[in-house]
Amino acid sequence: MQNTGERRIRRRSSVSLAFILSMLVIMLLILFRHHSMDEIQELLMSLKAKWLLAAVGCVLLSYLCEMACFYVITRKIHGKASWRTSFRVTMAGVYFNSVTPFACGGEPFQVSYLMDDGIPMGSCANIIMVKSTIFQASVFLFSVFSYVFNVDALYRLVERFDLFFIAGISVNIIVILFYGLFLVNKTAAKKTVNLVFKLLGKCHIIKEPEKYGKKKEEEIEHFARASRMIFNDAGAITVAFVFQFVNLLLGYVVPYFLLVSLEGKYDAFFDMVTSQAILRQITAYIPSPGGAGGTEGISYFFFMNFFTKTPVVSVILIWRLLTYYFNIVFSGVYLMVIRERNFKSEIKQIRSGKAA
């Protein structure tokens, strides 16, 4: 029998998935309203398979870069790490961050997978916090780089570019400062650990978290020690940043491959990548699950001057199918298979115990 916490989590996930699917339906309705079936069929037939496969390959490689980033951080903080656990943590983040508002649902499940690998909860919380900080800082630095080296083209290609850039950069700086505070301030660290205990309790990963008073103090010390370790190793931080930068680049390249596949334009690589860096910074803070609705609307302004022969709505639909809906399906199936395998393993252990 499901408890109240589990039912609440499932209900919220169901609402989020319903919203996500409704956004997909709305995009399809807009597409069919402005274009006939023959036009859509012609569009799909015009896609060059090798460039479409290249786009899918970028998405899959981005998972590996995310996994490697987690592996480097975990190995530095905990002393050892598992590639398998790092991939599971990656998939948990991909799935639950895609189906929850503000992409904030993955952390408790990522902590759970790390704890299953024998890592103290305070260190787990620190790993997730460090990874989030590196991600936000990478998005910020990539967008600043794009602005500095391609500002003229961006103003020409993206309407109201200055408004988008200022809004995105301002929110990003606030988020980075927020994460930094929690990593270097022990009082903030205590609040982080308390929050993690509360989230784990709500998700019923641990029971009665209020009873873990002494354990909390130990985990706070783990958190603080992990912060000192990671920030005293410039090499580990640099390697993690490299993997995160490559991860972002792979995502930013996907619409370029669509541009080549649909319109045969090869000379817009730098402009497309830098415009995607700005777009990513803005859409990261749209409150709906996966930024659904807002991302599609804002991306129209970023794509309209690149795709001049192809209906922009159809481009956005294909782009979101590759970079968002594919993420949900791939990571969801993976986590479901892992859960089923673990369940069968537990049943087998129980039966073998009874037989003994």
Side-chain angles (χ1 to χ4, degrees):
M1 184 176 179
Q2 287 183 321
N3 55 48
T4 305
E6 289 175 337
R7 286 198 298 269
R8 189 182 298 114
I9 293 169
R10 288 179 180 275
R11 186 164 57 249
R12 288 177 180 174
S13 296
S14 298
V15 171
S16 294
L17 285 170
F19 177 78
I20 291 165
L21 290 174
S22 70
M23 291 299 103
L24 178 60
V25 170
I26 289 171
M27 289 181 66
L28 288 170
L29 289 174
I30 293 172
L31 183 63
F32 285 121
R33 182 180 178 183
H34 292 89
H35 304 281
S36 66
M37 280 297 298
D38 290 337
E39 289 175 324
I40 295 170
Q41 185 177 359
E42 184 181 351
L43 169 69
L44 294 175
M45 293 298 292
S46 68
L47 282 166
K48 296 179 177 62
K50 65 178 181 179
W51 294 110
L52 189 61
L53 288 174
V56 174
C58 284
V59 174
L60 295 174
L61 285 173
S62 71
Y63 298 157
L64 299 182
C65 287
E66 185 84 351
M67 173 188 70
C69 189
F70 269 116
Y71 180 86
V72 169
I73 297 169
T74 304
R75 188 173 182 180
K76 177 58 189 175
I77 290 176
H78 183 56
K80 59 180 180 178
S82 162
W83 286 107
R84 182 180 64 179
T85 299
S86 297
F87 190 70
R88 289 181 180 181
V89 171
T90 296
M91 289 295 98
V94 169
Y95 180 77
F96 289 104
N97 288 341
S98 295
V99 300
T100 52
F102 289 106
C104 62
E107 288 79 1
F109 297 94
Q110 289 177 314
V111 168
S112 175
Y113 280 119
L114 289 168
M115 289 174 66
D116 288 343
D117 217 26
I119 303 174
M121 196 275 287
S123 297
C124 295
N126 189 271
I127 290 167
I128 302 303
M129 189 70 74
V130 169
K131 174 61 176 64
S132 298
T133 305
I134 289 175
F135 170 76
Q136 296 295 341
S138 298
V139 171
F140 172 78
L141 292 172
F142 215 129
S143 62
V144 170
F145 170 86
S146 300
Y147 181 85
V148 171
F149 290 97
N150 205 30
V151 61
D152 292 336
L154 291 171
Y155 269 106
R156 186 182 72 255
L157 292 166
V158 182
E159 292 186 14
R160 305 302 301 273
F161 169 75
D162 51 349
L163 178 63
F164 287 131
F165 180 76
I166 292 171
I169 210 82
S170 300
V171 176
N172 210 325
I173 289 173
I174 293 171
V175 173
I176 292 171
L177 291 175
F178 177 79
Y179 280 136
L181 171 66
F182 276 73
L183 285 170
V184 301
N185 185 285
K186 192 163 184 177
T187 301
K190 185 174 182 179
K191 292 180 180 179
T192 301
V193 172
N194 286 333
L195 177 62
V196 171
F197 266 98
K198 186 177 180 181
L199 289 172
L200 292 176
K202 283 189 173 182
C203 296
H204 289 269
I205 295 171
I206 62 172
K207 295 181 179 179
E208 300 182 29
E210 63 276 0
K211 292 185 177 181
Y212 289 80
K214 184 178 178 181
K215 184 68 174 175
K216 284 183 184 180
E217 294 301 321
E218 293 176 2
E219 299 301 348
I220 289 167
E221 185 54 39
H222 279 300
F223 187 99
R225 189 186 308 122
S227 292
R228 292 192 296 270
M229 288 173 62
I230 194 70
F231 285 115
N232 287 332
D233 191 337
I237 289 289
T238 301
V239 173
F241 262 108
V242 169
F243 281 122
Q244 188 62 72
F245 266 100
V246 175
N247 181 14
L248 291 173
L249 179 61
L250 289 167
Y252 298 161
V253 168
V254 169
Y256 170 75
F257 285 134
L258 291 181
L259 182 63
V260 175
S261 178
L262 289 165
E263 300 192 5
K265 295 179 181 178
Y266 294 88
D267 58 350
F269 179 83
F270 192 65
D271 289 342
M272 180 64 82
V273 168
T274 52
S275 69
Q276 286 297 294
I278 305 301
L279 177 62
R280 180 67 183 82
Q281 182 174 243
I282 300 164
T283 56
Y285 306 107
I286 294 174
S288 59
T295 297
E296 290 80 3
I298 295 173
S299 63
Y300 187 91
F301 295 97
F302 283 77
F303 285 152
M304 60 187 295
N305 289 320
F306 285 100
F307 294 88
T308 55
K309 302 175 184 177
T310 312
V312 177
V313 173
S314 61
V315 174
I316 294 172
L317 177 60
I318 297 170
W319 171 62
R320 289 291 276 172
L321 285 172
L322 288 172
T323 60
Y324 180 56
Y325 293 100
F326 179 82
N327 286 343
I328 295 174
V329 174
F330 186 91
S331 59
V333 170
Y334 175 84
L335 293 175
M336 184 172 63
V337 170
I338 293 299
R339 182 178 180 182
E340 185 67 20
R341 185 184 299 170
N342 291 341
F343 177 74
K344 288 181 178 179
S345 177
E346 289 175 7
I347 294 296
K348 187 176 180 180
Q349 288 177 1
I350 291 171
R351 288 176 177 173
S352 62
K354 287 181 178 179

